Amino acid sequence: MQTLGNFKLPQFFNYPPYFTLQPVRETREKQVQLWKELILDYCKSQKVFIIGLEEDFPLFINSAIERSLSHEAKEVFLSSLVSEGRAEWMDKGHKKCLILWLRIQDWADCILNFVRENGLENGVMTLEDIRSGIESRGTELEGIDRGVLVRALRHLEQKGKAAIFKGSATDDEGVKFSA
Amino acid sequence: MNGNWLPQAPLTASGRPVLQPGEVERSLQSSVDLEAEENPRLTPLRSGLLALTTHRLIWIDESSNSGYAIFLANVIHAYPPKKSIRSMFHSPRIRLQVSVSAEGRIGEKGSTSEMITIVIRGKNDPDAFFSKLWDALRSRPWEVEEKNGEVTSVDGGVSGPGSRDGPSNSVWIAMPVVGVSGILRKEQEIWESTDKSLQEAFQDLNALMSKAKEMVSLAEKMRLKLLSGSSAHANVANDEELGSNQEMQDWLLSVGIASPVTKDSAGALYHQQLSRQLADFVQRPLERSGGMIAVIDIYCLFNRARGTELISPEDLLQACALWDKLDVPVMLRKFDSGVMVIQNKTHSDEEIFTRLKSLALKPNALRMGVSPSDAAIILGIAPALAKEHLLTAESKGLLCRDVSPEGFRFYVNLFEEIDPTNTHLVKHHGLFEAWVSAASVFG
């Protein structure tokens, strides 16, 4: 079984047609579906938030069978994630893609759980604390993309469960929970 | 159409007359009636196709695909179309005096005769047709054939060491060359000898032509023998023998169409008749190549068989395009890529798909895929055609492609076998498992 770091690749990763964009509609639909699952699984396990289409991305290259995805294929697979709300293009040129293995509202729920588990209701945290503090170590929130975190907090703010404020001492922003 | 008063003429499946050995088609006229004006009991034959061959006049009803023939041997006399003011308003008529047998059968040897009128309604040239008919009546090729045996035996007697001295039984007295009369006689002798050698030369030509026919029939016989031989001993024969058989067959296959349809003989009906002849011709190559053959290959084979009467690619395409309108068992098929092939109407891709799939399931193919040239070798067809088959199989979801710097290859389609909710699951005894085990040998 092949692995990428600590990520276990499925058997069909060595199937050469998996790396060629299939022209026949039904076959392609199946292929796109398999790629979407694989991209989400991989990004989740490796905590990858951004895929640059013009940079080498380990998942898109299989050196064992000497195959790699064409630019067109990458764009097709990521676009299909975007259309499902599981990814977002970060620029008009489709050069960078933000992968949301959890949707923004799911991230917000995740933060609420975290707050409750740590008894931080009505507490205050900096964004940096949430990303790399002791409390978040080992949770899904560890290493969360700052942009994604801010959007999840804004989502909570709209529901009246959090308030973002500018920190006075540092440049860092803080958040006050009111769950 | 009741044409029973004339002998039936066999036609091919695509409605071309079946010619006898040595018979060559000379001219074709459309919308022709055959009437027996003086005998109203005989129903006229209306608007058919009239083919003039060196031996027969064949009237063909295209709607019922039936034909009736008048043997030229039994035509006593032919009268040309009349030239008069009155005839300007009528369709041109050629009248034939045909002998009738004692039992009343028309077109058989007998003492009485019947007048048959050929009414040419189409926009054809009746005079040209008549002159061709006249030529055919005059050259009487059927008599040459009847006498063929005698001619060759006479040849055998004359040729030999003594032939230069002239017939041995003629009286030969050497005359002295004296005076004006001597010069004249000398001239006369030169004339005579030239004449004789010319005649001999033509006799040789005739002999050669009759020999050529024999050669064609010999080639035919050998081909049949090879065909039956190769099917009977296919398992026993070694590869080399099979190869030479194949080569021999290829040569013999291309031995001639005896009477190719030409613009000259068919005129306005050229493409239609060419189309019918082509339909008959492609049967055999189709059989050999498994029911489908590239148009380019047929073009080469067809022209080779036609010998000197070559046709252009456009003519071939037009002839193929006309198949839609004619009731023939073959069709032209155009693949999405633009490659054109000829196939039997009954041909189905299913058999090819089954073969391609079993090919793609071999351990090597599971691991490395199948290239069009691999498939071409195994299916015994042209690589371009093999690629078309692979692409069609792909579009049916049987195969899928792998494009890499190494080229274009096809794999058996595994995408359907994978469960997207559990991508690590390998179903037992499935295609996917077969592939995994084949691929792991490599990895």
Side-chain angles (χ1 to χ4, degrees), chain B residues 306-328:
Chain B
R306 286 173 68 94
T308 52
E309 298 288 348
L310 301 184
I311 61 166
S312 71
E314 283 77 20
D315 283 341
L316 184 85
L317 281 183
Q318 282 204 34
C320 291
L322 280 174
W323 283 341
D324 285 347
K325 293 171 196 149
L326 306 172
D327 184 27
V328 293

Side-chain angles (χ1 to χ4, degrees), chain B residues 181-407:
Chain B
S181 65
I183 295 170
L184 283 174
R185 203 176 55 241
K186 183 87 182 166
E187 283 285 302
Q188 181 76 21
E189 273 170 23
I190 292 169
W191 263 105
E192 276 170 8
S193 73
T194 325
D195 198 37
K196 209 170 75 193
S197 59
L198 264 178
Q199 270 178 3
E200 268 171 21
F202 279 120
Q203 220 161 40
D204 283 354
L205 211 60
N206 270 339
L208 184 68
M209 274 163 74
S210 53
K211 276 279 181 288
K213 267 173 217 152
E214 277 173 38
M215 288 312 289
V216 171
S217 67
L218 182 70
E220 278 290 296
K221 264 186 215 155
M222 284 174 76
R223 196 188 64 77
L224 282 176
K225 206 160 190 176
L226 275 176
L227 273 181
S228 61
S230 66
S231 60
H233 302 293
N235 303 324
V236 194
N238 60 32
D239 280 355
E240 199 179 323
E241 198 174 304
L242 215 68
S244 68
N245 268 357
Q246 187 69 34
E247 210 171 316
M248 193 70 183
Q249 264 191 43
D250 286 345
W251 288 339
L252 295 180
L253 253 181
S254 56
V255 173
I257 295 173
S259 174
V261 171
T262 63
K263 274 189 174 134
D264 191 37
S265 71
L269 297 166
Y270 174 61
H271 280 119
Q272 201 220 56
Q273 288 298 314
L274 186 68
S275 172
R276 290 176 188 275
Q277 188 166 58
L278 183 62
D280 289 334
F281 174 80
V282 297
Q283 294 295 340
R284 212 180 281 162
L286 268 182
E287 217 171 273
R288 280 179 69 243
S289 59
M292 188 184 279
I293 192 163
V295 170
I296 291 178
D297 294 345
I298 279 293
Y299 179 70
C300 297
L301 285 173
F302 193 50
N303 262 343
R304 204 154 84 171
R306 286 173 68 94
T308 52
E309 298 288 348
L310 301 184
I311 61 166
S312 71
E314 283 77 20
D315 283 341
L316 184 85
L317 281 183
Q318 282 204 34
C320 291
L322 280 174
W323 283 341
D324 285 347
K325 293 171 196 149
L326 306 172
D327 184 27
V328 293
V330 288
M331 60 180 275
L332 181 70
R333 175 172 173 190
K334 197 170 180 179
F335 284 104
D336 295 338
S337 63
V339 170
M340 284 189 282
V341 298
I342 289 167
Q343 65 175 40
N344 277 321
K345 274 183 180 160
T346 52
H347 176 86
S348 85
D349 288 340
E350 293 307 320
E351 191 209 326
I352 295 273
F353 291 160
T354 327
R355 291 178 70 186
L356 282 179
K357 190 157 183 185
S358 68
L359 176 61
L361 284 174
K362 289 185 180 158
N364 247 338
L366 280 173
R367 201 166 67 224
M368 307 288 290
V370 181
S371 75
S373 46
D374 295 343
I377 292 165
I378 289 161
L379 297 178
I381 53 178
L385 213 56
K387 187 167 176 182
E388 294 306 328
H389 284 311
L390 288 166
L391 289 172
T392 318
E394 183 197 33
S395 71
K396 298 265 182 242
L398 294 173
L399 305 177
C400 46
R401 67 176 62 183
D402 165 40
V403 183
S404 73
E406 293 153 39

Side-chain angles (χ1 to χ4, degrees), chain A residues 95-165:
Chain A
K95 282 183 183 143
K96 282 190 167 183
C97 192
L98 178 72
I99 308 297
L100 297 167
W101 66 83
L102 289 182
R103 292 183 176 82
I104 295 296
Q105 62 265 33
D106 296 333
W107 278 117
D109 291 345
C110 184
I111 293 168
L112 280 185
N113 281 339
F114 168 79
V115 167
R116 285 189 196 115
E117 276 167 23
N118 290 285
L120 287 166
E121 294 97 338
N122 304 315
V124 173
M125 279 188 95
T126 65
L127 267 57
E128 211 42 55
D129 280 340
I130 299 175
R131 292 186 67 216
S132 52
I134 287 172
E135 294 89 344
S136 62
R137 197 158 297 164
T139 69
E140 281 194 305
L141 288 174
E142 184 183 2
I144 185 174
D145 180 74
R146 200 181 164 87
V148 173
L149 178 60
V150 169
R151 282 167 63 190
L153 291 174
R154 291 254 155 81
H155 186 81
L156 287 178
E157 202 172 30
Q158 276 173 6
K159 287 184 173 174
K161 290 181 177 171
I164 301 172
F165 58 88

